[in-house]
Amino acid sequence: MPSQKKGEETQTTGRFLFLYPQILYIRVSWHDSTVLRPPQPHPPRKSSGSLPQELSDLTHLLRWPPTLGDGGDLLASTSPQTSTYHLRGPPQASYTLGGYLEAILVARDHWGRPKTHGGDLFRAQLLGPYLKAGVPGDIQDLENGTYLLSFPLLWAGQAQVQVRLIHSSEAVRVLRRIWRDQWATVDFTGYFRGPTGYEEIVTCNVNPLLTGEEESTCHYRDEDSGELWFCARPPTLPCDSLVGHSSGHYWNVTTPHEEALLAWNVTDQVLPQGISPIWVAKESNKSLVLSPQQPCHPGIPGPKPSGFYHRAVWHSLSCSGRSFSTVDSILGCLAGHIVHMMGDSTLRQWWEYLRDTVPSLKPVDLHATYQTGPLMAVETTRGIVLHWRAHSWPLRSLRTPVASLHSVVQELGGLAGGPHTVVVLGLGSHFTTFPPSVFVQRLAGIRAAVAALLAREPRTLVVIKLANTGYKSVYGSDWFTLQVNRLLRAAFADLRVAFVDAWEMTSSLALPDRIHPGRLIVRSEVNFFLSFICPT
């Protein structure tokens, strides 16, 4: 494995008992896996490196209104059936294009009693079903059981409010505990191979105390990023014989009461309709609030909302995004560019969309594991090269060669950059099974590598794809993703990069949440991405 030290061993001290009760099976939004009751580790040892000053206090962004204990009474938790919302003012015969619609939401428990604290994760949308229109609403938590909802009126015609309870505040309290205290909710598998082909399989993780081996671990350090990885020492083979990596187990980290708070019947549920459909009148014969006239370029401040859908087309509210509706328009934009995509499978969808949409973009068989890459497609007449590869561990995946797991920092360090180089980073989904400190440390190294790339060649375009909605479990809830996106925005806020707000693009229409969104959403993301390469 290039640029990594193998074969280093670390000793851990203190007695540490691992208990393995009866094996259970659960269904989650990725591959079904054995669920084990995890060990309760001591706090991990601090790495020798320190975070840059600009990242050292990012965790203050993760503040969430505190939730009182429910005393074990499920009926005292917020209910999607009894919570209500209504207009803040008297209804109007019609509303003004470009104005706002405001509402008040009252959270109630299953008895119908108003809640006295905030912390619920609601999602509000203003939808235009006949126009294939939608925009996310802003939700202000007053931390007393009530919430202020605000919706911009961006298209003329009928519009309808929809509110969903993603998680009750009591369920969020469970997620907060797990994210803060658990240190991990999954483990991974390492495959070691000897000279004769004999293999030994062990547990690996981000912390040596999570590998199941108290006395000895194999320690791997990426020389470019400083990222650490640990595997239990195999019985007979040396540490430098690690050749394969895959997902391991999903741990059982919730009590029966906590599982009830996160059950399907109280998660991601639509509240009873509280506001009748409204009518938005045209303004000066305009039927749509137009995108700003400024071309899309890195460093543009991100408005809220970042955009909206109308007739199934995403309209940016930060810049004049373009629609690349033909093969020729996509080829013309990408001509002469090398695009490096690094991240998770939701970013691989961009590569797949371009491959499937442009017939002359030909995939090159690199004989790699498709799920992790590297993948490449080329268009030789226009000089287009598209790369995608998964970020390194922690990576939930099928078995893949360890040598293929390059860190993002390592890849960025190998790029000269320039006006023909485009870098896209899509991070987040695989970090929701660890406390936020793990993601912050990873961001610190990637941010430094991006800053170095832009310093040596400022004409390089760097795009950050935010994580999208989709997960609804303790291993990858939308609540985790919301926090991850806050960290992503803050980490790169002062660098000249572009953002594609996949969170809002996947939460604006009345479509089922999917971690791998459908073609309409992916097309919108790619069109907006191309608008930064070809702003005019």
Side-chain angles (χ1 to χ4, degrees):
M1 181 168 52
S3 71
Q4 285 191 341
K5 289 183 179 179
K6 289 189 175 182
E8 297 182 1
E9 299 178 18
T10 60
Q11 299 294 324
T12 59
T13 59
R15 298 304 300 166
F16 193 75
L17 181 64
F18 288 77
L19 300 176
Y20 293 91
Q22 183 180 6
I23 295 177
L24 306 173
Y25 290 88
I26 63 171
R27 182 176 296 262
V28 292
S29 51
W30 38 76
H31 301 289
D32 289 346
S33 297
T34 307
V35 179
L36 303 179
R37 177 69 62 180
Q40 297 299 314
H42 303 298
R45 290 192 246 173
K46 294 182 179 179
S47 63
S48 57
S50 59
L51 293 175
Q53 181 60 38
E54 61 270 18
L55 285 184
S56 61
D57 61 349
L58 276 186
T59 51
H60 79 276
L61 296 171
L62 307 184
R63 182 193 176 276
W64 196 264
T67 300
L68 302 176
D70 57 13
D73 181 6
L74 179 64
L75 297 180
S77 64
T78 306
S79 167
Q81 285 77 38
T82 62
S83 296
T84 59
Y85 60 94
H86 58 272
L87 287 175
R88 192 175 186 183
Q92 302 176 24
S94 66
Y95 292 80
T96 304
L97 183 68
Y100 285 85
L101 181 74
E102 295 185 330
I104 297 176
L105 190 159
V106 179
R108 303 176 189 273
D109 66 15
H110 290 263
W111 298 105
R113 300 172 300 193
K115 302 294 288 291
T116 58
H117 58 78
D120 300 291
L121 179 58
F122 288 103
R123 183 185 301 165
Q125 301 165 299
L126 188 67
L127 304 171
Y130 303 110
L131 296 170
K132 295 182 180 179
V135 64
D138 180 68
I139 301 178
Q140 181 183 354
D141 187 347
L142 300 183
E143 302 190 24
N144 61 2
T146 60
Y147 301 78
L148 296 182
L149 312 181
S150 178
F151 305 90
L153 304 177
L154 302 172
W155 63 85
Q158 192 179 80
Q160 174 69 64
V161 172
Q162 183 181 91
V163 180
R164 306 180 77 89
L165 176 65
I166 305 300
H167 291 301
S168 68
S169 56
E170 291 75 17
V172 170
R173 186 169 182 261
V174 175
L175 298 175
R176 291 176 69 184
R177 175 191 66 76
I178 291 171
W179 213 28
R180 182 187 64 243
D181 300 337
Q182 196 60 48
W183 294 110
T185 56
V186 300
D187 59 27
F188 302 85
T189 301
Y191 303 84
F192 293 75
R193 183 185 300 149
T196 63
Y198 168 72
E199 285 196 344
E200 293 177 345
I201 301 173
V202 303
T203 298
C204 303
N205 220 314
V206 298
N207 185 320
L209 297 175
L210 297 172
T211 63
E213 272 295 328
E214 179 183 359
E215 298 300 330
S216 180
T217 57
C218 295
H219 164 205
Y220 305 92
R221 182 180 186 275
D222 187 281
E223 296 294 349
D224 297 284
S225 65
E227 296 164 11
L228 299 175
W229 190 248
F230 304 91
C231 292
R233 183 179 175 85
T236 64
L237 295 175
C239 288
D240 61 5
S241 61
L242 177 64
V243 295
H245 166 86
S246 76
S247 300
H249 306 107
Y250 291 88
W251 293 341
N252 180 9
V253 295
T254 52
T255 66
H257 174 64
E258 290 173 335
E259 291 168 6
L261 291 171
L262 293 161
W264 66 269
N265 60 322
V266 290
T267 299
D268 192 22
Q269 296 295 309
V270 178
L271 271 60
Q273 193 57 251
I275 299 175
S276 299
I278 65 168
W279 183 264
V280 181
K282 292 183 178 181
E283 180 72 15
S284 302
N285 211 31
K286 291 181 180 179
S287 59
L288 201 67
V289 171
L290 301 178
S291 298
Q293 293 302 302
Q294 65 170 331
C296 297
H297 62 81
I300 291 178
K304 190 170 179 60
S306 61
F308 65 100
Y309 286 99
H310 184 261
R311 301 196 184 280
V313 173
W314 178 257
H315 295 264
S316 169
L317 292 175
S318 62
C319 59
S320 55
R322 297 176 57 193
S323 177
F324 295 83
S325 57
T326 66
V327 169
D328 284 343
S329 64
I330 296 174
L331 286 172
C333 180
L334 289 175
H337 286 89
I338 302 176
V339 182
H340 300 269
M341 303 180 189
M342 310 171 203
D344 58 37
S345 57
T346 66
L347 183 57
R348 188 181 67 221
Q349 288 187 275
W350 291 17
W351 186 91
E352 293 166 338
Y353 171 83
L354 291 168
R355 175 203 62 190
D356 296 340
T357 303
V358 181
S360 58
L361 263 174
K362 301 299 184 182
V364 178
D365 188 356
L366 300 178
H367 304 286
T369 303
Y370 183 83
Q371 191 187 32
T372 55
L375 306 178
M376 183 168 71
V378 299
E379 214 282 2
T380 55
T381 61
R382 304 287 186 108
I384 302 170
V385 181
L386 300 181
H387 294 280
W388 174 85
R389 72 181 312 134
H391 60 71
S392 188
W393 41 46
L395 184 70
R396 300 187 297 276
S397 68
L398 300 174
R399 178 167 173 170
T400 193
V402 167
S404 296
L405 297 179
H406 296 187
S407 71
V408 173
V409 172
Q410 177 185 352
E411 289 293 303
L412 292 174
L415 298 179
H420 301 289
T421 300
V422 180
V423 172
V424 189
L425 304 179
L427 307 166
S429 295
H430 291 260
F431 293 88
T432 59
T433 53
F434 301 94
S437 58
V438 173
F439 190 52
V440 169
Q441 290 173 351
R442 182 62 57 89
L443 283 179
I446 294 174
R447 184 197 180 284
V450 168
L453 172 60
L454 294 176
R456 65 178 174 264
E457 183 45 86
R459 294 175 294 176
T460 307
L461 174 61
V462 177
V463 179
I464 309 297
K465 175 193 173 293
L466 298 182
N468 54 261
T469 60
Y471 286 147
K472 302 292 186 294
S473 80
V474 294
Y475 307 104
S477 164
D478 282 348
W479 184 82
F480 292 140
T481 305
L482 184 62
Q483 315 312 313
V484 162
N485 279 341
R486 289 174 173 177
L487 296 173
L488 272 169
R489 278 199 178 276
F492 296 98
D494 62 338
L495 296 181
R496 197 172 182 275
V497 302
F499 288 93
V500 174
D501 194 341
W503 174 271
E504 291 201 351
M505 288 187 176
T506 54
S507 61
S508 295
L509 291 174
L511 297 173
D513 282 347
R514 295 164 51 188
I515 192 60
H516 295 116
R519 185 177 176 84
L520 185 157
I521 303 295
V522 176
R523 180 181 68 232
S524 300
E525 294 173 349
V526 172
N527 278 345
F528 192 51
F529 157 62
L530 293 176
S531 297
F532 287 97
I533 301 177
C534 307
T536 57

